[in-house]
Amino acid sequence: MARRFGIIGAGIAGLTAARLLRDRGHAVLVLDKGRRPGGRASTRAIEGVSFDHGPPWFAITDPAFRSFLDASVASPCLAAWHGRFARLESGRLIPETPEIPRFVGVPGMGAIGRALAEGVDVRVSVHADRLERSADAWTVLDRDGASFGPFDAVIVTAPPAQAASLLRGHSSMAATLEPVPMAVCFSWMIAPEGGTVLPFDGIRCDHPVLRWASNEQSKLGRAASPALVVQADHAWSGAHRDRKPSEIVGHLRSAVEEAFALRLGPARVESLHRWLFAQSIEPLGRPCLIDADARLAACGDWAWGGSIEGAFQSGSACARALIEAFA
Ligand SMILES: Cc1cc2nc3c(=O)[nH]c(=O)nc-3n(C[C@H](O)[C@H](O)[C@H](O)COP(=O)(O)OP(=O)(O)OC[C@H]3O[C@@H](n4cnc5c(N)ncnc54)[C@H](O)[C@@H]3O)c2cc1C
């Protein structure tokens, strides 16, 4: 029997669950507060320059993830990143060949979410504020007072603290979610006027201030002009989360120039993004949460693994569990 599912969040977990439920004949409506689907797997375009300011790449190790992507993301939207990679360790740059291929969305990471949203009823710019239960159905109310539903079940895929606030009073899952930690991370995007590039295309950093740096132009489908993304270390970002953006940029600029022995010079384009819920650092260790009595569920990268693949695994486990619960 076809059921009606409401899904809060059009990130990888929400879109995975949506596609799997839809493919089983269920009616699905996905609501997201952002302007486009994809969640953290996104691309920022500034004056024609694009930056993957969330995940710079992702792994595909699970055959189920591979099959899902093959079926739902057309090949031009997904490509291996054939960059020159290195790690920064004790102040030295050590070239490395990743053990597993690194994949990117084309022409930007946001292409993955866009592809997954195709054929799915996704409403963007809808900030779910609360859930209401009538005798046998759920309604989602947004911040503007609009209501969506009725749904036989609702899946919440927001980061743990936000998911907990939607579920509080309706399910004990809220208490389980509340303490799940997420890392803060600053992403600095810069297109240097003078065309400076990093010595390698993707650099993992073991450094007190830096976590990652990449030459975005080395990924397939990007413009040729240099565009760099620098991620700050999680602990450093957490400790400096409330400082002025100009101070953060100043620190990151000095750290990059010193670590990679280069001068960035003036920026043609630059921006700083603060991710308050960047990545799950200690996932719950369960693929998803289901409250069958309440007809509520929660999934996301915080459940099983803080990565795009982890979000897929959580979203697919959640869809399977709900299909079983309603069978
Ligand atoms: C800086 C950074 C670096 C990263 N590096 C990597 C990496 O190298 N490799 C990798 O695989 N992964 C990486 N990740 C992690 C990866 O991006 C996430 O694990 C994955 O995208 C999470 O998907 P999700 O669907 O669980 O959550 P999200 O993508 O966060 O989706 C949740 C969605 O819910 C929406 N939402 C939240 N609250 C509400 C509400 N009240 N109403 C409506 N909508 C709501 C949000 O707008 C969002 O779209 C990185 C992330 C960041 C930020």
Side-chain angles (χ1 to χ4, degrees):
M1 182 184 162
R3 304 282 183 176
R4 301 156 300 178
F5 289 96
I7 301 183
I8 298 174
I12 303 302
L15 292 172
T16 297
R19 289 185 81 93
L20 296 178
L21 290 166
R22 181 205 62 179
D23 292 351
R24 295 292 289 257
H26 298 292
V28 179
L29 177 63
V30 185
L31 307 171
D32 199 292
K33 66 181 181 178
R35 277 183 290 159
R36 48 187 75 88
R40 277 169 272 162
S42 55
T43 306
R44 171 82 67 83
I46 312 165
E47 293 176 32
V49 187
S50 79
F51 304 88
D52 292 335
H53 67 318
W57 59 271
F58 64 101
I60 306 174
T61 59
D62 179 346
F65 188 33
R66 176 84 261 179
S67 317
F68 177 77
L69 290 172
D70 285 347
S72 44
V73 180
S75 62
C77 298
L78 173 67
W81 183 10
H82 299 293
R84 296 165 306 116
F85 299 110
R87 63 180 195 278
L88 176 70
E89 215 176 86
S90 310
R92 286 177 51 232
L93 272 172
I94 304 161
E96 66 177 10
T97 306
E99 280 166 22
I100 43 167
R102 294 176 171 180
F103 289 93
V104 296
V106 180
M109 203 56 93
I112 304 294
R114 276 199 304 280
L116 294 182
E118 259 173 47
V120 177
D121 192 355
V122 179
R123 313 271 170 94
V124 293
S125 304
V126 175
H127 194 137
D129 191 42
R130 60 182 208 278
L131 307 179
E132 266 180 20
R133 188 173 186 168
S134 63
D136 58 356
W138 285 103
T139 301
V140 178
L141 292 118
D142 80 357
R143 282 195 169 167
D144 300 324
S147 65
F148 301 85
F151 302 115
D152 296 308
V154 172
I155 306 175
V156 182
T157 75
Q162 295 162 322
S165 82
L166 284 164
L167 293 167
R168 201 169 296 122
H170 298 301
S171 168
S172 59
M173 291 190 297
T176 310
L177 279 162
E178 193 102 62
V180 179
M182 297 289 282
V184 178
C185 181
F186 286 104
S187 281
W188 178 41
M189 299 152 257
I190 171 169
E193 212 170 77
T196 310
V197 294
L198 298 167
F200 288 87
D201 296 327
I203 307 171
R204 289 191 296 137
C205 308
D206 183 2
H207 185 275
V209 179
L210 306 173
R211 172 181 172 80
W212 168 264
S214 51
N215 285 325
E216 295 292 291
Q217 72 281 4
S218 65
K219 299 174 179 174
L220 191 71
R222 275 66 172 178
S225 57
L228 319 183
V229 171
V230 175
Q231 288 174 19
D233 175 73
H234 286 168
W236 188 89
S237 299
H240 296 81
R241 56 186 275 166
D242 296 323
R243 290 183 75 167
K244 283 194 200 137
S246 58
E247 290 174 7
I248 299 294
V249 167
H251 280 289
L252 293 177
R253 179 181 273 274
S254 309
V256 166
E257 292 188 337
E258 197 209 308
F260 307 132
L262 49 79
R263 295 287 301 157
L264 287 166
R268 182 162 67 86
V269 162
E270 87 179 308
S271 184
L272 182 76
H273 186 88
R274 182 183 67 167
W275 294 98
L276 284 177
F277 307 101
Q279 239 171 320
S280 164
I281 34 177
E282 272 170 57
L284 194 60
R286 288 157 68 178
C288 60
L289 294 174
I290 306 282
D291 184 337
D293 292 337
R295 296 183 169 203
L296 291 170
C299 60
D301 68 334
W302 46 265
W304 196 237
S307 64
I308 291 189
E309 186 168 70
F312 158 79
Q313 288 167 326
S314 180
S316 59
C318 189
R320 279 197 309 274
L322 285 171
I323 289 166
E324 204 170 293
F326 279 110

